[in-house]
Amino acid sequence: MPAIYRFDVKWGDTDAAGIVFYPNFYKWMDEATHHFFATAGFSSSRILAERQTIIPLLEAHCQFKSPLQFEDEVEVQSEIQELRKKVFKIGHRFIKDGQPVAEGYEIRAWAHFNEKPKAFPIPEDIKEILLAGTSNR
């Protein structure tokens, strides 16, 4: 079961034609990823404070199917698609009125943040939560 992140499109998210400006999808994927971790009990601030760990973005992609406009109610369904030793791929589906409007993913690393970020293996307790999905949320 995916984690669900909901929002309404704001006026400032749109361009002169009244359609969502495409970089906002990447902003919302980032927000949905942090929401995914927070609903699993590992907010970004908690991960940083307790584990001195961050999840930097390595790659992002989004495919647009239909436009969003001001005041549209949107649901982003996020779930882990791939889990490797030090990185994970999280997929995002944007839904409006039950219909997909965009799909994308992010690839992120599990990294310590000392002088500069350095990837290291994802801890087993975190892997278990990520692999379990959102059924316990």
Side-chain angles (χ1 to χ4, degrees):
M1 293 181 61
I4 306 297
Y5 174 66
R6 292 180 175 89
F7 64 92
D8 293 337
V9 174
K10 308 290 187 265
W11 178 256
D13 297 328
T14 63
D15 60 18
I19 297 171
V20 166
F21 185 47
Y22 77 92
N24 287 303
F25 284 89
Y26 292 92
K27 172 185 76 170
W28 294 324
M29 287 194 298
D30 181 66
E31 291 172 1
T33 294
H34 290 283
H35 175 78
F36 178 93
F37 274 86
T39 59
F42 291 99
S43 69
S44 297
S45 59
R46 180 178 172 200
I47 293 171
L48 182 59
E50 294 178 5
R51 298 179 185 236
Q52 294 71 52
T53 301
I54 58 173
I55 52 172
L57 183 65
L58 304 177
E59 179 181 328
H61 173 78
C62 192
Q63 180 181 20
F64 311 104
K65 299 175 184 288
S66 64
L68 290 174
Q69 298 175 326
F70 175 55
E71 295 182 335
D72 280 346
E73 295 175 1
V74 183
E75 175 179 294
V76 182
Q77 301 172 353
S78 304
E79 60 189 330
I80 300 300
Q81 293 180 333
E82 188 177 333
L83 187 59
R84 291 185 257 155
K85 184 176 180 180
K86 298 178 183 181
V87 300
F88 61 93
K89 180 179 182 180
I90 184 167
H92 305 285
R93 291 186 67 216
F94 291 80
I95 308 293
K96 180 187 102 173
D97 298 329
Q99 298 298 313
V101 295
E103 291 186 16
Y105 67 84
E106 296 174 308
I107 297 178
R108 291 179 175 263
W110 192 262
H112 277 299
F113 188 74
N114 295 328
E115 293 176 19
K116 67 178 192 172
K118 180 176 170 137
F120 71 101
I122 301 169
E124 289 303 316
D125 63 323
I126 300 294
K127 279 186 178 181
E128 288 176 19
I129 290 168
L130 296 178
L131 290 174
T134 61
S135 59
N136 62 348
R137 294 180 213 172

